[in-house]
Amino acid sequence: MTAHPKHTPHAEAGTAFAGLHHVGEPLLLPNAWDCASARALAGQGFRAIGTTSLGVAAAAGLPDGEAATREETLRLALALGSEPLLLSVDAEGGFSDDPDEVAEFARELYAVGVVGINLEDGLGPVDRHAAKIAAVKEAAPGLFVNARTDTHWLGDGDATDTFTRLDAYQQAGADGVFVPGLTDLRQITALARRVHAPLNVLYSPGGPTVPHLADAGVRRISLGSLLYRRALGAAVAAAAEIRAGRTPAGPTPSYGEVARRTVPRVDP
């Protein structure tokens, strides 16, 4: 007899991921862009890993935020979904304006072991984004839906518009709400008190620290594309140092360490 979905390992992983949003400290979610970065982060004790749409897009030479990386995103999810880590996927706006198509993509993610999805509204129609969330929750009830609004990322940060959008997304079934670009602690604290779903913000090097965000009531802190951009900057800086006759500073994983974090391949 097939076990009821709530008793499957995948369902238990989804429950564990949701639970990380309700423990003492907020969930600090680093975002990976490929298998090696995800496995390296997991090796440092990060139980849950997100993906970064910018990193996935840039690595493939494609634009971010333009629904161009559906297949690349799904391919990465397929490679990592069975890993002993909790994977949440940044899916832009779901790669479609059609809620049914977004739901089908979410179903594909869940089928390969993904436990969470991040869906952004891009300041588009509230009803359309709410419909996407509802469709995803119907298609994959065990998938943690993090509903992102871009009022602070792309808009003027209007507090009323932010809450109106988040309230609609919560009513549609969102498990968490995300407001990237929001860095003012007073606004964060006020919003955390108004929403009933766990509040997610994007860490900013020049913004509040993790302890300050925790005190403000934030339950999830994403790193977004920061790690990818830092890695790219470090690579360029290292090349420039070598060209100048200097030894680059900073940690450098060995060939073997990196090779063990990739899929098996033929030795060169």
Side-chain angles (χ1 to χ4, degrees):
M1 175 182 289
T2 301
H4 191 281
K6 70 179 182 180
H7 297 306
T8 64
H10 189 180
E12 291 173 1
T15 301
F17 180 67
L20 293 177
H21 296 74
H22 299 280
V23 294
E25 297 181 353
L27 169 62
L28 180 61
L29 189 72
N31 299 76
W33 57 93
D34 61 10
C35 291
S37 57
R39 290 166 181 163
L41 289 165
Q44 286 297 309
F46 291 99
R47 187 179 177 196
I49 308 293
T51 64
T52 162
S53 66
L54 174 64
V56 172
L62 296 170
D64 182 35
E66 297 184 17
T69 57
R70 184 188 191 280
E71 295 309 311
E72 287 76 14
T73 300
L74 185 59
R75 190 177 303 115
L76 180 58
L78 179 62
L80 292 173
S82 61
E83 295 279 321
L85 55 85
L86 302 173
L87 182 67
S88 181
V89 168
D90 182 353
E92 299 183 4
F95 304 114
S96 174
D97 287 336
D98 184 340
D100 290 336
E101 292 182 0
V102 175
E104 178 55 33
F105 182 69
R107 193 187 346 256
E108 291 182 70
L109 291 178
Y110 190 69
V112 300
V114 172
V115 297
I117 186 172
N118 190 74
L119 293 174
E120 61 196 52
D121 65 10
L123 288 187
V126 175
D127 291 347
R128 184 177 68 196
H129 201 60
K132 291 182 183 181
I133 293 165
V136 168
K137 291 305 295 183
E138 181 177 357
L143 195 64
F144 187 102
V145 177
N146 198 42
R148 166 177 154 174
T149 184
D150 290 307
T151 52
H152 284 259
W153 195 251
L154 301 175
D156 58 8
D158 182 77
T160 300
D161 187 26
T162 298
F163 181 71
T164 297
R165 286 173 176 272
L166 296 185
D167 187 49
Y169 304 158
Q170 290 175 128
Q171 292 185 40
D175 302 289
V177 291
F178 184 24
V179 190
L182 177 59
T183 58
D184 184 274
L185 272 177
R186 289 175 297 179
Q187 294 182 47
I188 292 172
T189 301
L191 186 59
R193 290 172 177 169
R194 292 190 70 183
V195 297
H196 60 76
L199 176 63
N200 179 196
V201 299
L202 184 68
Y203 173 79
S204 172
T209 64
V210 168
H212 286 153
L213 291 173
D215 290 342
V218 172
R219 302 310 311 149
R220 172 164 157 178
I221 302 167
S222 298
L223 299 186
S225 64
L226 177 63
L227 299 183
Y228 175 76
R229 291 182 287 113
R230 292 272 298 188
L232 190 60
V236 173
E241 287 288 285
I242 293 169
R243 181 175 59 188
R246 296 185 291 268
T247 301
T252 303
S254 70
Y255 177 93
E257 288 172 326
V258 175
R260 287 193 293 273
R261 295 186 182 121
T262 60
V263 294
R265 60 184 180 81
V266 178
D267 289 334

